[in-house]
Amino acid sequence: MTKDEKGIELMARPEMTRFRGYSACKSSETISQKLGIPVNKVVKLDANENNYGPSPKVGKALSSLDSYHIYPDAAQTELRDMLAKYVGMPCEQIVAGAGSDQLIDLIIKLFAAPGEEIINLVPSFAMYRFYGELNGATMVEVPRDADFRVDTIAVKYAITSKTKLIFLANPNNPTGTLTSSQNMISLLETGLPLVVDEAYYEFTGESAVPLMKDYPNLMVLRTFSKWSGLAGLRVGYGIFPPAIANYLHGIRDPYNVNVAALVAVRESLKDIDYLMGNVKKIVTERSRFADELTKINWLKVYPSKSNFILCDVLEGNARQLQQELEDQGILVRYYSEPRLMNCIRFSVGKPGEDDILIDALKKAGR
Ligand SMILES: Cc1ncc(COP(=O)(O)O)c(C=O)c1O
């Protein structure tokens, strides 16, 4: 390289090198190494995973899988067929992704060109902003009300000729709030494409899918990360109007869902009763856990319809509390954005795990 040539790092797009969109959770392995404790002693309550894990059928089937050397079916034929049966919608309307995260990215690419606007009902799932900004779109934040309900009037005021998409997580992450069907219909009546992200659907049983027959601007996202314990295999899916499903198939990576994920979905859908038994345990534990958290007088506990609980830390600093817990091998998530200033979110774990957290919180005092 001559002295006039630029170093390779200067050739990268500046808007990408500056991008710091998402602060991901630390892995249990990282914490185990840092603290010198076994991985299975780390209490992981930071990423809304399912601590009961997958169906035992998944591991069994994967141990005899002999097609790791073959690319997955680019048409997603069997996968879409299984998902169609599970959802009760035609397979022409289903698109699967490497996690629903990938579908968020693809939907944004399909609808919002750089400089166009996406309405984000904040506080909400951080990946909408991540992919919106990464794709050059402008995120228009419409704050939820004091109870984290969607302000549909404010949404109408926020719409401009550049608005291309609205994202609604239902129940919302990280607040756990469910949106009423009346408010959802108000959003649909704007005529704008609306993504209802039902990552936690199985914990509520409430879905927007039945509205799809009346609203061709509705798209619904789901995932296997939460209810069926497959977060590590990255498999999500969406239900779309047929033309939109076709466009998404056209722009997705042809082999986006790997062969192990396909097997895991197949086995999970054979074991729905077992998995929904775990979902039921989590929902039962959620109310016990919330009751215990409520007894800690420096926490304000928000009601949740999901597999996590958001709390306001009324005394002391949430960031510091998160660090104190991490130093004991307990992983939780804290927030410092405007509507979540000094908030902390706990995934609902197994009762024993939640008890370890409760004890640590009691000892932390304030
Ligand atoms: C609202 C919401 N949507 C999507 C996702 C991502 O799911 P996946 O693991 O399928 O990418 C999450 C994960 O936390 C979430 O909370």
Side-chain angles (χ1 to χ4, degrees):
M1 194 165 69
T2 69
K3 68 177 172 38
D4 295 332
E5 279 177 284
K6 291 198 284 187
I8 191 166
E9 68 280 7
L10 298 175
M11 298 179 203
R13 291 166 61 196
E15 64 275 29
M16 293 293 131
T17 60
R18 282 194 299 267
F19 194 73
R20 291 281 178 278
Y22 190 73
S23 69
C25 298
K26 290 181 189 153
S27 72
S28 297
E29 287 73 17
T30 307
I31 298 301
S32 123
Q33 274 179 14
K34 189 174 150 208
L35 301 179
I37 59 173
V39 175
N40 63 5
K41 290 285 174 223
V42 176
V43 177
K44 196 165 186 323
L45 301 176
D46 57 345
N48 305 340
E49 290 139 330
N50 183 330
N51 288 1
Y52 287 91
S55 155
K57 290 185 195 291
V58 170
K60 220 164 143 198
L62 285 177
S63 68
S64 58
L65 179 64
D66 60 1
S67 60
Y68 288 110
H69 59 302
I70 303 293
Y71 285 115
D73 169 26
Q76 303 181 336
T77 310
E78 184 199 350
L79 182 57
R80 287 190 297 118
D81 239 32
M82 293 187 293
L83 295 171
K85 286 199 186 85
Y86 178 62
V87 181
M89 292 291 278
C91 57
E92 292 71 31
Q93 294 191 239
I94 310 273
V95 182
S100 48
D101 279 350
Q102 187 178 50
L103 295 167
I104 295 168
D105 184 27
L106 291 173
I107 292 168
I108 292 173
K109 286 187 160 72
L110 184 62
F111 285 96
E116 292 183 327
E117 295 173 1
I118 298 172
I119 292 186
N120 196 14
L121 307 166
V122 292
S124 193
F125 183 45
M127 294 305 281
Y128 307 145
R129 163 178 287 281
F130 176 92
Y131 284 122
E133 291 183 346
L134 194 59
N135 284 301
T138 302
M139 298 305 287
V140 175
E141 298 196 339
V142 178
R144 289 164 176 260
D145 72 10
D147 294 319
F148 297 125
R149 283 179 304 221
V150 173
D151 182 346
T152 53
I153 296 173
V155 170
K156 280 175 196 152
Y157 277 111
I159 294 171
T160 73
S161 58
K162 286 185 173 176
T163 312
K164 298 294 163 174
L165 207 50
I166 305 176
F167 274 98
L168 170 70
N170 200 42
N172 189 36
N173 176 12
T175 63
T177 327
L178 208 51
T179 294
S180 66
S181 51
Q182 194 192 348
N183 277 354
M184 205 179 287
I185 287 169
S186 286
L187 297 177
L188 286 164
E189 292 286 342
T190 64
L192 285 165
L194 173 72
V195 179
V196 177
D197 180 347
E198 298 184 348
Y200 303 94
Y201 157 69
E202 282 80 2
F203 297 91
T204 68
E206 288 193 31
S207 177
V209 169
L211 290 172
M212 290 187 77
K213 64 178 183 335
D214 298 321
Y215 292 97
N217 52 332
L218 175 58
M219 299 172 271
V220 176
L221 293 182
R222 302 260 188 92
T223 180
F224 279 74
S225 295
K226 313 297 177 180
W227 73 286
S228 55
L230 295 179
L233 278 179
R234 314 301 301 121
V235 50
Y237 61 99
I239 308 120
F240 303 94
I244 300 302
N246 261 335
Y247 294 144
L248 290 169
H249 283 304
I251 64 171
R252 71 173 165 81
D253 166 353
Y255 306 125
N256 62 340
V257 180
N258 67 66
V259 290
L262 170 67
V263 169
V265 167
R266 190 189 294 144
E267 296 306 313
S268 299
L269 293 177
K270 281 187 205 156
D271 216 4
I272 292 178
D273 288 349
Y274 169 83
L275 291 168
M276 286 308 288
N278 290 343
V279 166
K280 218 169 145 192
K281 283 184 201 163
I282 292 167
V283 170
T284 305
E285 169 63 5
R286 182 180 69 207
S287 65
R288 185 197 74 95
F289 189 23
D291 286 349
E292 289 301 317
L293 291 168
T294 307
K295 290 179 197 160
I296 298 172
N297 61 12
W298 47 270
L299 287 179
K300 177 182 172 189
V301 182
Y302 290 101
S304 171
K305 295 286 180 194
S306 208
N307 70 344
F308 53 81
I309 297 174
L310 182 75
C311 297
D312 226 328
V313 179
L314 302 175
E315 288 166 39
N317 179 288
R319 161 92 190 80
Q320 242 166 32
L321 177 63
Q322 180 271 331
Q323 189 59 53
E324 266 174 58
L325 293 169
E326 184 181 305
D327 292 344
Q328 299 166 62
I330 305 167
L331 302 183
V332 302
R333 186 150 190 132
Y334 82 96
Y335 295 87
S336 55
E337 59 193 77
R339 278 287 280 108
L340 298 176
M341 199 50 83
N342 227 30
C343 281
I344 202 149
R345 189 195 67 193
F346 309 123
S347 311
V348 178
K350 293 179 174 174
E353 297 169 317
D354 299 340
D355 284 341
I356 292 173
L357 170 68
I358 298 278
D359 281 351
L361 289 171
K362 285 182 179 157
K363 281 187 196 123
R366 276 298 178 266

